[in-house]
Amino acid sequence: MEPTSLLLPRQLSPTPNYQGPSTQLLRRWRQGGKALPCIVDIRDEKQVGEAVKKAVEMFGGIDILVNNASAINLTGTLDTPMKKVDLMLGVNMRGTYMTSKLVIPHLLKSRSPHILNLSPPLNLNPVWFKNHTAYTMAKYGMSMCVLGMAEEFRGQIAVNALWPKTAIQTAAMDMLGGEEVGKQCRTSDIMADAAYAILSQPKDYTGHFVVDEDILREQGIQDFEQYAVQPGHPLLPDFFLDEAPEVLAQQMEQHGATPAFKSSSSTTPPSSGPIESTFDVIRGVINDDLVKSTQGIYQFDLSGEHVGVWFLDLKSGSGSAGPGQPSIKADVIMTMDSKDFSKMFAGKLKPTMAFMSGKLRIKGDMTLALKLEKLMGRMYKAHL
């Protein structure tokens, strides 16, 4: 069967600053198959409705809807103009909802109907809201369409979401990280292959928030170097998964990219859990002698399951420790996964080994960093 497609791009002619997916897809369709490109404002119900009507008239129906259009602005609440807020909510959330609403009557007539939204899993960790609340609201709006419509049309239409495990080389990534970020990315081919795997499923495969690499592994793919822009180069994890924004920014900078977003490192971690328990023990072993012999202030930027920023002040008064940044600039900043942090302070992971293996990154006074082993020794004796 000859492939056909309805495209709803903002523009058809490539510009020096924009090489979007619609432009790339149109180029591919010109090599074979049929395409109906319609220039629309995805926020305009009349324009989208007319494009859907043209597609049905030309192709006889619609089997698949891919909601890919997205606007991005990674700024905090006070720095985000309402014009940008309206754009992101209008394109990402309203555009997805409206296009789905207009296409669903035709999908209900299809033998294999699918809606696929390019949106992330609904990760409610506050770290993904605090630096760009408006963007997260807009992007999660697309994911909530999946959650609701999958259940509403269960048994009739497959509705799923797809999100990349790593950054994908696009114009948006160049904007966020500069030209050097490309070598930390995969090509869009991995998303195309993952989308094909989802869209090949029966319509009872619905309500899934799929990560590209995960579904391809399920399909038997093992060689992911084929998707790398620069094979062998470390890859940048994408937003909304496991890595905190602070870690993403640091990784971009380590490999020569310049992040356009800067995350505040003032994450306030939860008041309970394994990290808080560790700090309870730390507070129990702090005394005047330890403060006098150490004279250092530490900051711990933790990623992973228990994301947060914590401090240990062994310079002021009788010492203190707890969540958040220290009141005085830290002498040492340690960045690591929260699980490795717990292991390190439990005596199961030596700081030196953690550092040498790349599990621990240290910024600041290395001598003071090594002094922490004395504190860890006391904690180990306290049977943490």
Side-chain angles (χ1 to χ4, degrees):
M1 181 177 179
E2 189 175 33
T4 58
S5 177
L6 165 66
L7 308 179
L8 303 180
R10 290 175 288 177
Q11 58 192 35
L12 291 181
S13 301
T15 68
N17 297 321
Y18 181 77
Q19 291 287 334
S22 297
T23 306
Q24 298 165 13
L25 185 57
L26 181 58
R27 223 181 260 127
R28 292 182 183 180
W29 278 118
R30 283 171 178 161
Q31 299 172 4
K34 293 181 180 179
L36 174 62
C38 299
I39 303 175
V40 303
D41 180 344
I42 200 70
R43 298 166 293 177
D44 190 308
E45 183 176 4
K46 183 179 179 181
Q47 291 184 27
V48 175
E50 289 176 350
V52 171
K53 182 180 178 182
K54 289 180 181 178
V56 173
E57 290 174 349
M58 181 172 179
F59 304 128
I62 297 176
D63 299 306
I64 296 169
L65 169 63
V66 178
N67 287 307
N68 178 58
S70 187
I72 183 170
N73 196 70
L74 300 178
T75 51
T77 302
L78 298 179
D79 296 322
T80 308
M82 287 309 301
K83 184 178 180 180
K84 292 286 188 181
V85 176
D86 291 341
L87 175 65
M88 289 187 285
L89 292 174
V91 172
N92 302 4
M93 182 171 68
R94 186 177 185 276
T96 295
Y97 183 90
M98 181 178 66
T99 306
S100 300
K101 175 181 171 66
L102 294 175
V103 172
I104 282 173
H106 304 286
L107 292 176
L108 290 171
K109 300 175 184 178
S110 171
R111 288 178 296 178
S112 183
H114 284 266
I115 295 176
L116 181 62
N117 294 353
L118 299 191
S119 62
L122 288 166
N123 183 348
L124 296 183
N125 189 325
V127 73
W128 294 116
F129 290 82
K130 65 167 188 150
N131 297 309
H132 38 74
T133 299
Y135 173 65
T136 300
M137 288 168 56
K139 205 64 189 174
Y140 278 17
M142 297 176 69
S143 300
M144 293 174 74
C145 285
V146 172
L147 194 66
M149 293 178 189
E151 195 61 33
E152 182 178 359
F153 297 100
R154 184 174 294 278
Q156 299 174 287
I157 302 172
V159 186
N160 297 288
L162 174 63
W163 194 247
K165 183 173 183 177
T166 72
I168 302 297
Q169 188 181 38
T170 62
M173 277 308 302
D174 289 341
M175 176 187 72
L176 294 175
E179 295 180 359
E180 291 298 315
V181 77
K183 61 188 179 183
Q184 301 180 59
C185 299
R186 284 173 172 163
T187 68
S188 57
D189 288 347
I190 189 171
M191 289 291 280
D193 289 351
Y196 180 81
I198 295 170
L199 299 173
S200 299
Q201 301 292 326
K203 62 185 178 182
D204 58 359
Y205 183 86
T206 191
H208 297 280
F209 291 88
V210 181
V211 174
D212 58 357
E213 185 175 311
D214 294 344
I215 193 167
L216 291 178
R217 287 190 184 279
E218 292 175 6
Q219 297 290 315
I221 302 296
Q222 296 182 356
D223 176 20
F224 289 91
E225 285 294 288
Q226 62 178 310
Y227 298 115
V229 172
Q230 183 175 319
H233 196 284
L235 295 169
L236 184 67
D238 206 349
F239 276 27
F240 305 117
L241 299 178
D242 295 327
E243 295 288 3
E246 292 83 359
V247 177
L248 298 183
Q250 289 169 2
Q251 188 166 338
M252 291 171 79
E253 291 171 332
Q254 285 172 3
H255 296 287
T258 304
F261 62 95
K262 278 290 186 180
S263 301
S264 164
S265 57
S266 59
T267 306
T268 301
S271 57
S272 62
I275 307 302
E276 174 62 27
S277 298
T278 298
F279 272 84
D280 285 342
V281 179
I282 290 175
R283 285 187 283 266
V285 299
I286 294 175
N287 57 35
D288 292 342
D289 289 339
L290 185 60
V291 173
K292 185 177 180 180
S293 62
T294 306
Q295 287 298 291
I297 298 177
Y298 303 84
Q299 178 176 315
F300 304 94
D301 292 351
L302 305 183
S303 61
E305 185 177 357
H306 302 284
V307 173
V309 176
W310 299 78
F311 77 92
L312 172 59
D313 185 345
L314 296 178
K315 180 185 284 187
S316 310
S318 299
S320 59
Q325 292 181 318
S327 57
I328 304 173
K329 184 179 179 181
D331 300 301
V332 182
I333 298 177
M334 296 185 168
T335 304
M336 64 192 311
D337 187 275
S338 56
K339 289 183 179 179
D340 292 327
F341 175 86
S342 297
K343 290 178 182 178
M344 194 169 71
F345 275 87
K348 298 178 181 178
L349 176 64
K350 291 289 185 182
T352 304
M353 291 301 298
F355 178 75
M356 294 298 292
S357 64
K359 294 181 178 180
L360 168 63
R361 293 192 295 277
I362 299 175
K363 182 179 179 181
D365 192 325
M366 290 294 293
T367 303
L368 283 175
L370 294 173
K371 284 187 176 183
L372 265 186
E373 291 207 36
K374 184 176 182 180
L375 173 62
M376 294 174 194
R378 290 190 179 194
M379 291 183 62
Y380 185 70
K381 291 178 181 178
H383 304 290
L384 177 65

